[in-house]
Amino acid sequence: MWSGRFQSLCAERNPACRACARGEFPYLEGRAQPHITMCGRDSVQIHERGRVLDLKALEERLAPTINDVRANGFLLRFRIPPYEMTVFSDGRAILKGTKDPAVARSLYAKYVGA
């Protein structure tokens, strides 16, 4: 940055990515909701409200690679030992098995999407 030099690269855009495909940057715009470490529960809640998820489509995407995927009209739950993730249709998720928000966000991005 100080020298004024830069380097660019070409990367294939992910059509499901909110930043690449839709140009949404909620964290840079100060609109992102914080994570919440749930006291005494060994869990972290991720707030992605306003992001509508198709739980049936998510279930179909996860089922071939994750054995224990359960869903109903309100939530989807799956295990990726030693963690368990519960995802709601409004984008919220609760990750059981850690108190580390970085672990929770990483797993959310990997399995639900960024």
Side-chain angles (χ1 to χ4, degrees):
M1 179 172 140
W2 299 111
S3 69
R5 293 178 48 203
F6 68 92
Q7 182 177 7
S8 64
L9 59 106
C10 292
E12 189 173 319
R13 291 181 186 250
N14 178 350
C17 177
R18 293 181 351 193
C20 291
R22 297 192 301 256
E24 297 175 9
F25 305 97
Y27 293 93
L28 295 176
E29 296 164 356
R31 293 183 289 126
Q33 300 236 357
H35 56 268
I36 297 173
T37 302
M38 302 173 83
C39 184
R41 301 259 180 193
D42 195 29
S43 299
V44 176
Q45 181 170 328
I46 304 293
H47 286 274
E48 290 289 340
R49 291 179 186 226
R51 176 183 186 185
V52 179
L53 292 176
D54 181 343
L55 295 179
K56 188 68 178 162
L58 182 59
E59 178 183 16
E60 290 170 1
R61 184 169 54 86
L62 294 175
T65 57
I66 299 174
N67 292 331
D68 188 17
V69 179
R70 293 171 281 152
N72 61 33
F74 306 100
L75 59 88
L76 179 136
R77 181 173 289 152
F78 59 96
R79 291 188 49 75
I80 35 171
Y83 309 107
E84 178 180 272
M85 186 176 291
T86 304
V87 182
F88 301 91
S89 61
D90 67 354
R92 290 177 300 120
I94 298 174
L95 183 77
K96 261 175 143 170
T98 187
K99 293 179 184 173
D100 185 345
V103 169
R105 286 228 172 260
S106 174
L107 291 170
Y108 185 94
K110 179 176 181 177
Y111 292 102
V112 179

